Structures are given as structure tokens and as C-alpha cells.
Amino acid sequence: METSLQLRSLVKSSGELELSLAQVPVPQPAADEVLVRIEAAPINPSDLGLLLGPADIANATVSGSGADAVVTAPVPQRFMGALKARLDASMPVGNEGAGVVVAAGDSPQAKALLGKTVAILGGATYAQHRIAKASDVLELPAGATAADGASCFVNPLTALSMTEVMRREGHTALVHTAAASNLGQMLNKICIADGISLVNIVRSAEQAKILKDIGAKYVIDSTAPDFIAALTDAIEETGATLAFDAIGGGKLASQILSAMEVAANRKATEYSRYGSSTYKQVYIYGGLDTGPTELARNFGLSWGVNGWLLTPFLMKLGADAAKLRARVAAELKTTFASHYTAEISLAEVLQPEVIAAYARKATGEKYLINPNKGV
Amino acid sequence: METSLQLRSLVKSSGELELSLAQVPVPQPAADEVLVRIEAAPINPSDLGLLLGPADIANATVSGSGADAVVTAPVPQRFMGALKARLDASMPVGNEGAGVVVAAGDSPQAKALLGKTVAILGGATYAQHRIAKASDVLELPAGATAADGASCFVNPLTALSMTEVMRREGHTALVHTAAASNLGQMLNKICIADGISLVNIVRSAEQAKILKDIGAKYVIDSTAPDFIAALTDAIEETGATLAFDAIGGGKLASQILSAMEVAANRKATEYSRYGSSTYKQVYIYGGLDTGPTELARNFGLSWGVNGWLLTPFLMKLGADAAKLRARVAAELKTTFASHYTAEISLAEVLQPEVIAAYARKATGEKYLINPNKGV
């Protein structure tokens, strides 16, 4: 039986994370399925939770080498309770990716995809091969490579969903944090094209320049001394009452709500003891700062802070989600183009210095795995 | 022209709070209005924001005496920005109260109320007289005194609304904090009568006893060493995924969400990298702890923390709000009975040692103003 490599993440009940490459059988597609040879799969921040968990990567050790390397890292005891459901189960990793259809089932839809470059979503993409339903893959437009399409689900659909949430929940402008990220750049392109005012919060002058260069109007540097004043002015000017926050920890969500409240009260003519009646919402969709979220509650009583996750929102969208996917395909090499810091092989995913680089989640840095590179 | 006393709160742009009694004209009711001689008005935590604001009461001084006393207290500079809209405007105070209709307009509805004891909501109840629309007052049942009906809006409607929110948002049980409060005791009576599981969180053994004595099943003391374990077990047993929190500051909201997540994961059969898909909600409706809310975010991505305020919720309820009011009237002396620490006159509201007592917002203590007492 033919086998190929698949990356595995295992948390042992003894308190260790183990990363390795498994030799797994290459499956045969059923009638309505295709077999994809994965050539590109991004490491998104949302992949790192499953891949590395809360392991102490700085103290990782490696045994073996190349495709036989096994990385072991300690998991601090305080996190073990939350990992109960995955203990001692070797798990495949990778939310999304793209590659070439190398085998197809008998259904016409499957057969039509043979030889095509397609993108897939749904796990286990850090592998040389993966089976998918023909109806679930996204055929890339002619001329698009697997690398072009590797990130065409998570970031593009998240960015588009932010503007969908805005419209559905009655807001008219947006605030976004860690705004120079790949996702943030896409969001700027969408908002510029759609005429939506977007207040970008970044953490350095370099990040501000990235966004200014692609035409962003409101770029606020949270490390600048006038951060709060500049944020409040931008929120007042745009009327933004909705924010998507990738940082999570610290005071930023609170500062955004507070700036929205001050902006709302600047327009108020009458004192309300409970603060403005303007509803202010922050969705936390990432955790670049894993510390606690600190809410000063100096923004009245009309506010919400919620966790936000793409998949349940797409399920709520139902049939409308197809419109978002179609826009992604149509604008794959423009609005939704991703930029990668480096393309790495499956064996390189297991090298400690490479782990340290992709685990850093630095804004503007993104790694692309090519499971069929160098093997 | 006849005048009577009305309590006023004034924040001056010079940075001082001033409390005093104003002599104001006793108004004549229009056709659809009644004039109420207020005999009982509670000091709810929700009144203190307007009454005292963020003034430093410990450093209050008094000039004059009796009905001519003027209390002055410094307002720390850092709070002055948030008070901009009320600066130098002398404001009447008091959300609710009850008394006797002593004059009525010509409409049949108004005339029918003459001599009746009624409850009113909507401000300026810390006064000897107040005008109200006949359609807005709640006629108390025969035998009920003004003191019986003084608190029949804010706490009863808030407690009933909590169970309404629970049903409307698809939850099946509740968590409540500062649960031995007057409001908390009402909520227990409602939940016992309606068969709703309620997890009460209190901050002392004495408070726990108050609730046990009225039949509460789940009473968790947050000062006990096994607090988190007991809370998690109670949440698992009841299936509560909704909490109303009167504390606001500190880690309690986060601990509740975390306990809900652990309880949800105990039932999970499969690992989800983003935490359980069980939606967990905390509404913060008070601020007994004015410090920041600290969210550890160790409860997945399916959660919300929102400010909550009664009035907008009642507006959303629309016509259904009348059902809540009818239940309050019917159960005024049972479910919705309030207990008061002391009945004080308007002049006593201005005495520093009395201010210190009602400003403490101690759970289980509540002060009742009788504006027509001792004048």
C-alpha cells in the first residue's frame, strides 16, 4: 500500500507535546471525492493552538532527523486540564491548503477536477495527500498556483465576514487591530473597494507604513503618545461602533470601547447617567496577547465583548457564504493575495529554530508549508 | 405659589459635588396627569451614580442644617471628563417611589386615581411631590402601603427580566452574583416558583444563610476555599450558561465563564481546539466593584460579556412588559417584598454619616427615603 507523510501533534498525559511525521496510507477517493497532493498550506495563528498547544517550545528537544525527527516539548501542568479531550490522541494539523487533484472518484463532478489546482479547508492539510469531497474544494482560476490559493479560506473569509457582521448588526464602519497582518491588508482592500471606513490600529511605524502604502486612510499607532486622542478622533470621524480585535489580552479592547463612548458623548446634548445609548461591540477573534482582557467599564452600559470564530458565522450565513467564496476566487491574486516569509518542508516544520520563527506570530510574517518539497 | 422640597445633585465645573434641597413649585396636573405626594423612595445602587457620582464622600463637608443643609464633596479630576454633560446643571434624583395621589387632572383615568396609593418610575422621586401621567403609574393593591410599593419597578422588573432574557436567548438556568441582595432574594422566589435552576454566588456565610432560609438550592460562597469547584459542579448540574453579574470588577465574570466552559467540556466527547461550542453569556448589570473586569479568556471563543440595563430591555419587550408589571402588582407583598435598613427623611439624606451608610451599597442593606417625614 502506498503511504505518504502527515504531520502529527500529540499531547501525552505524561505532560509532553510530541510533533512527528507519520507514514499514513494514501487513501482512494470514493465516487464523490478527490485526492489532492498538497503543495501549499499556510501556518495561520489559528493553526498554532492545535499544532503547539500551550507547550513550552523554548525547551523543546529533538531526536532523530529529517522525516524521522521527533520534537518533544514540556506542557506546563496548569494547562493540562484544558487539554483533557485531546490527551494521547495523535492529531493531524492544518486548517487549509491547496494542491493538485491527482486522483478522482467516478462522479462527473470529481472527474472534472482531475489535474486541476484546488484549495481545501477542514483540517489535516499539513500532509502530502488529503481526500476531499469534490463539492467542498474550491477550483482555483486558471494561472493560479497552489501557493496563490493556499490561504484562500481562513483569512479572506474572515476579512469578508467582518464587513458582513458590520452590515448585519447595523454598524457602518470598522475598527481592526494588529491591522497590518495579512488579514488586515485584505480587509483594507475590501473596505477601500466597498467604501467602508476602517480604523486600523497597529503597533509600530513600520506596520503603519505597510497600510498607508496600500491606501489606508486611518492608521493609528498604539505606541504613539497621542494614541488615545488619535483613536477617538478617527472613531468620531468614521462613526465606527464595531471592532474586531486579534490581540485579545491587555487594555486595547477597553480603550477602543472607551474611545467609542467618548466619541458618542461628543455628539450628545443631554446627560445620561448610564452612559451613551450607542451600542459598542468588540469581537475578539485572536489571542496574540494571551494575558487577560482588562475592561475598565468606563463606557456606559451599552456594550458587548464577545469571542468570534469564523466557522459558526459561516454556518449562520448559510447559502450567502457561497457569495463570499465566489468573491475570494475572483479576487485571488489581488484583494486576497497572501505574502509568505518562507516556504518550508514538513521536515523543516520540526526544526526548533523554524518552530521558534513561526510560533512568534509576528505581524506581517507568515510561513507556508509545502509538504511535497524536498522529500 | 405652593412649594415643596426636592433633592438636587449638582456637579460644578470647579470640581465639586453639591447636594441640597430645593424649594420647587408644586405643579398642577394636566388632564391626563396626577400629582403624587411621595412617601417612600428607595436608594438603589442605580441611584447612587446620579446622586453622588464619583465624588469623594469621605471628604464631604456640610454648611447649614436641616432642610437648608448643603453638602459639598470634591470630585477627583480624572472623573470630570465623563461628567461633562451634567456640569453645572442641578439635577433631581430618584428612579422610583410611591405615594398618594393628592390631585388629579380631568381625565377619567386620572380622576379615578385620586386618593389611591401608586408607584411611579422615571426620576425625581426624592421629592415631596411629583407629577406623573395617569397611564404610567401603577396602582397598588388594596392594603399595600407606599413603603410596600416603593421598590416595585427597578428590582422586581430587573429580576423578572433576567428570567425573560434567559428564555428569549435560549438558556435554561441562571447564575446570579451578589445574590443575597434584595433583588437576588426576589430572583430566588421567582425561580423557585417558576422551576428555574438558579446558582447563587454570595460573598459570606451570612449571605448564604439568607438565601438558604428562603429555599435557595444552589448557594456558592466565593470566599470559600472550594469556590471554583463548587461553582463548576453547580453549573454542570443546572446547565446554566447565562449569568447576571452585579459586581462588574475583578475576576468573577471570568471565573463564571471558565466554570461554564469546564462544565461543558465534561460532557464533550471530542476535542475542539477552539473550546466548547456551548455559548456562554455574562451580563454585567451593576458595578459593586468599580475596578476593571478581568477576563482570562480560558473559556474558548463562544462567549459574550455585555453591559445590561433594564430600560432598553423593557422597551424591547414592548407590550409584554405589561405582563411583568402585572405580576409585580399581584405578588407585591410576597415575591417582591423589599426590606429596608432604615427610613430616612430628605434632611437625613444630606447628613454625612447617613451618606456613608447608604453609599456603602452593602448587600442586604437598603435605605428608604420618606420625603414627607419630619418636615
Side-chain angles (χ1 to χ4, degrees):
Chain A
M1 185 189 285
E2 204 192 345
T3 64
S4 70
L5 295 173
Q6 186 183 64
L7 186 73
R8 290 293 182 85
S9 172
L10 168 67
V11 176
K12 296 177 171 176
S13 43
S14 57
E16 288 178 320
L17 168 77
E18 192 178 279
L19 301 180
S20 63
L21 300 179
Q23 283 284 357
V24 297
V26 176
Q28 298 295 315
D32 60 344
E33 292 179 338
V34 294
L35 178 69
V36 181
R37 186 182 70 226
I38 308 279
E39 294 175 349
I43 303 181
N44 289 313
S46 52
D47 290 305
L48 292 173
L50 186 61
L51 182 63
L52 303 179
D56 176 10
I57 293 305
N59 287 305
T61 56
V62 189
S63 66
S65 67
D68 296 319
V70 175
V71 178
T72 305
V75 176
Q77 188 56 40
R78 67 182 184 282
F79 296 117
M80 289 297 289
L83 299 173
K84 218 184 76 185
R86 67 169 286 191
L87 289 185
D88 302 314
S90 176
M91 309 193 79
V93 190
N95 277 321
E96 64 182 336
V100 175
V101 174
V102 292
D106 287 337
S107 78
Q109 196 185 6
K111 271 201 231 170
L113 289 167
L114 201 60
K116 297 284 172 57
T117 301
V118 299
I120 53 181
L121 176 73
T125 58
Y126 299 170
Q128 292 181 314
H129 293 91
R130 189 184 181 286
I131 283 283
K133 293 254 184 234
S135 56
D136 285 349
V137 308
L138 181 66
E139 185 181 338
L140 299 184
T145 65
D148 290 333
S151 296
C152 78
F153 286 100
V154 178
N155 279 349
L157 291 179
T158 301
L160 282 172
S161 291
M162 289 175 179
T163 63
E164 279 298 311
V165 169
M166 182 196 79
R167 280 184 279 261
R168 282 167 184 252
E169 300 186 1
H171 303 274
T172 55
L174 280 170
V175 176
H176 188 225
T177 72
S181 64
N182 263 282
L183 192 161
Q185 295 177 41
M186 290 177 190
L187 184 60
N188 272 281
K189 292 175 190 166
I190 295 166
C191 288
I192 290 168
D194 295 3
I196 297 168
S197 294
L198 171 65
V199 178
N200 295 279
I201 302 177
V202 297
R203 289 169 291 176
S204 72
E206 294 71 31
Q207 291 171 358
K209 184 172 184 310
I210 292 173
L211 294 182
K212 287 284 187 186
D213 286 350
I214 61 170
K217 182 173 177 189
Y218 301 97
V219 185
I220 318 285
D221 183 348
S222 62
T223 64
D226 70 339
F227 167 52
I228 297 295
L231 177 63
T232 308
D233 288 346
I235 285 173
E236 185 185 7
E237 199 171 319
T238 58
T241 48
L242 172 65
F244 280 87
D245 175 33
I247 311 281
K251 299 180 197 294
L252 186 57
S254 188
Q255 289 167 330
I256 293 168
L257 290 168
S258 176
M260 288 174 176
E261 177 73 2
V262 171
N265 283 331
R266 280 185 189 164
K267 296 169 188 166
T269 52
E270 174 171 316
Y271 178 66
S272 164
R273 76 191 77 175
Y274 301 117
S276 81
S277 59
T278 301
Y279 185 73
K280 303 161 292 287
Q281 175 72 49
V282 174
Y283 285 112
I284 295 179
Y285 76 97
L288 295 176
D289 177 343
T290 56
T293 309
E294 288 178 50
L295 305 175
R297 300 198 322 288
N298 56 350
F299 33 74
L301 281 167
S302 188
W303 59 273
V305 176
N306 292 65
W308 193 87
L309 194 55
L310 176 63
T311 310
F313 179 72
L314 291 179
M315 286 168 64
K316 198 158 69 178
L317 275 187
D320 286 347
K323 293 181 198 159
L324 272 53
R325 285 172 57 146
R327 180 164 177 185
V328 174
E331 303 175 21
L332 192 61
K333 297 181 91 163
T334 53
T335 312
F336 301 109
S338 281
H339 306 285
Y340 299 99
T341 310
E343 184 187 278
I344 59 179
S345 69
L346 281 177
E348 285 170 316
V349 176
L350 303 184
Q351 294 173 3
E353 68 278 12
V354 179
I355 298 177
Y358 64 68
R360 200 167 51 214
K361 296 185 272 191
T363 299
E365 284 190 8
K366 188 185 277 292
Y367 287 78
L368 186 68
I369 299 174
N370 180 347
N372 284 288
K373 175 192 174 194
V375 283
Chain B
M1 184 187 288
E2 203 192 344
T3 65
S4 70
L5 295 173
Q6 186 182 66
L7 186 74
R8 291 292 182 86
S9 172
L10 168 66
V11 176
K12 296 176 170 177
S13 43
S14 57
E16 287 176 323
L17 168 77
E18 192 178 280
L19 301 180
S20 63
L21 300 179
Q23 283 284 358
V24 297
V26 176
Q28 298 297 315
D32 60 344
E33 292 179 338
V34 293
L35 178 68
V36 181
R37 187 183 67 226
I38 308 279
E39 294 176 350
I43 304 181
N44 289 313
S46 53
D47 291 304
L48 291 174
L50 187 61
L51 181 63
L52 303 180
D56 176 10
I57 293 305
N59 286 305
T61 56
V62 188
S63 64
S65 66
D68 296 321
V70 175
V71 178
T72 304
V75 176
Q77 187 56 40
R78 68 181 183 282
F79 295 118
M80 290 297 288
L83 300 172
K84 220 184 75 185
R86 67 169 287 191
L87 289 185
D88 301 315
S90 176
M91 309 193 79
V93 190
N95 277 323
E96 63 181 338
V100 175
V101 174
V102 292
D106 288 336
S107 77
Q109 195 184 8
K111 272 201 231 169
L113 290 167
L114 202 58
K116 297 284 173 56
T117 301
V118 299
I120 53 180
L121 176 72
T125 58
Y126 298 170
Q128 293 181 315
H129 293 92
R130 190 183 180 287
I131 283 283
K133 293 255 184 236
S135 57
D136 285 349
V137 308
L138 181 67
E139 184 181 339
L140 299 184
T145 65
D148 289 333
S151 297
C152 79
F153 286 101
V154 177
N155 279 348
L157 291 178
T158 301
L160 282 173
S161 292
M162 289 175 180
T163 63
E164 279 298 311
V165 168
M166 183 196 78
R167 281 185 278 262
R168 281 166 186 253
E169 300 186 1
H171 304 275
T172 55
L174 281 170
V175 177
H176 189 223
T177 72
S181 63
N182 263 284
L183 192 161
Q185 294 177 41
M186 291 177 190
L187 183 61
N188 273 281
K189 292 174 190 166
I190 295 166
C191 287
I192 290 168
D194 295 3
I196 296 167
S197 294
L198 171 65
V199 178
N200 295 279
I201 301 177
V202 297
R203 288 167 292 175
S204 72
E206 293 71 32
Q207 291 171 358
K209 186 173 182 309
I210 293 172
L211 294 182
K212 287 284 186 187
D213 285 350
I214 60 170
K217 181 170 177 190
Y218 301 96
V219 185
I220 318 285
D221 182 348
S222 62
T223 65
D226 70 340
F227 167 53
I228 297 294
L231 176 64
T232 308
D233 289 345
I235 286 173
E236 186 185 7
E237 200 171 317
T238 58
T241 48
L242 172 64
F244 280 88
D245 175 33
I247 310 281
K251 299 180 196 295
L252 187 56
S254 188
Q255 288 166 331
I256 293 167
L257 290 168
S258 176
M260 289 174 176
E261 177 72 2
V262 172
N265 283 332
R266 282 185 188 164
K267 298 169 187 165
T269 52
E270 172 171 317
Y271 178 67
S272 163
R273 75 191 79 177
Y274 301 117
S276 81
S277 59
T278 301
Y279 184 73
K280 302 162 292 287
Q281 175 73 49
V282 174
Y283 285 113
I284 296 180
Y285 76 97
L288 295 176
D289 177 343
T290 56
T293 309
E294 287 178 51
L295 305 175
R297 299 199 321 290
N298 56 350
F299 33 73
L301 281 167
S302 188
W303 58 273
V305 176
N306 292 65
W308 193 88
L309 193 55
L310 177 62
T311 311
F313 180 71
L314 291 179
M315 287 169 64
K316 199 158 69 178
L317 276 187
D320 286 345
K323 293 181 198 161
L324 273 52
R325 285 172 57 147
R327 181 165 177 184
V328 174
E331 302 174 23
L332 193 60
K333 298 181 94 163
T334 53
T335 312
F336 301 109
S338 282
H339 306 285
Y340 299 98
T341 310
E343 184 188 278
I344 59 180
S345 68
L346 282 176
E348 285 170 316
V349 177
L350 302 185
Q351 293 173 3
E353 69 279 12
V354 179
I355 298 177
Y358 64 67
R360 200 167 50 213
K361 295 184 273 190
T363 299
E365 284 190 10
K366 188 184 279 289
Y367 287 79
L368 186 68
I369 299 174
N370 180 347
N372 284 289
K373 175 192 174 193
V375 283

